[in-house]
Amino acid sequence: PTSVLGADNEDQALPGVATTSDGGFVLAWGMSEGNAADSSEVMIVRYLKTDNAPPTLTGLPATAPVTAGASTGPIGFTVGDAETPAGDLVVTVTSSNAAVLPPGAITIGGSGTNRTITLAPPAGAGGAANVTVTVTDAGGVSATGTIAVQVTATPPDTAPTLTGLPGAVQLTPGGSSGPIPFTVGDAQTPAAALVVTASSSNSAVLP
């Protein structure tokens, strides 16, 4: 700011700086003349407005593959701003395909500079969606980033397989067939987790 001078070229800055809600600030200045008889004070208030720089958003991956019914886990990214504290920055998200990634399938977490996004498409979903992340500062200025998400559809649950059992077994009363091997398998469930049970149609013969 320009100084305000008295007749004898003496001036005095009066302390006082106040910030404004839109990023500007106010300065208070004054002067006094050297001659006490002609002493006077002048207060000049000058408003200087600063440009509101957009916030920053870094660290988002370009792509994020995920299987329907599963989750990406928290994906970290960072936000910042020259004027607004990181904790006051507002992060929002939108999906270009709600059938693949509905609003409830996207979760924003973290705080301050370090934020996270988690993608959890519902079971049965499949396809592509662009997720746009927007960070907005206190002045309403924003920055965006986009993640291209490819959701792999979960295969349908098929019946397990059971092979190797003989069509018939001849037994002698009081005797035993010995171990009869067979195999089990499943496309979705590990073989060790499959549950095998047996029953008899005639408990009087084979309880």
Side-chain angles (χ1 to χ4, degrees):
T2 302
S3 298
V4 179
L5 300 176
D8 55 0
N9 290 335
E10 294 182 359
D11 68 348
Q12 178 181 3
L14 300 181
V17 178
T19 59
T20 61
S21 61
D22 59 356
F25 53 90
V26 175
L27 300 177
W29 293 76
M31 74 170 187
S32 61
E33 296 182 352
N35 188 336
D38 298 326
S39 179
S40 64
E41 287 189 356
V42 176
M43 179 72 72
I44 295 179
V45 177
R46 170 170 289 184
Y47 171 72
L48 301 175
K49 188 177 187 303
T50 61
D51 292 332
N52 184 9
T56 59
L57 191 163
T58 58
L60 282 179
T63 61
V66 62
T67 301
S71 169
T72 60
I75 300 171
F77 62 95
T78 59
V79 297
D81 190 72
E83 296 82 25
T84 303
D88 294 335
L89 295 172
V90 178
V91 176
T92 57
V93 292
T94 58
S95 169
S96 66
N97 190 341
V100 173
L101 273 175
I106 306 173
T107 304
I108 293 295
S111 62
T113 299
N114 300 311
R115 308 295 180 96
T116 63
I117 181 171
T118 302
L119 310 174
N130 289 328
V131 174
T132 300
V133 180
T134 302
V135 55
T136 306
D137 66 15
V141 180
S142 62
T144 62
T146 301
I147 307 173
V149 182
Q150 183 63 47
V151 178
T152 302
T154 306
D157 189 9
T158 56
T161 59
L162 191 158
T163 59
L165 282 176
V169 176
Q170 296 293 328
L171 293 176
T172 301
S176 170
S177 68
I180 301 173
F182 61 94
T183 60
V184 296
D186 189 72
Q188 294 81 34
T189 305
L194 294 173
V195 178
V196 178
T197 60
S199 62
S200 171
S201 64
N202 190 337
S203 58
V205 175
L206 197 64

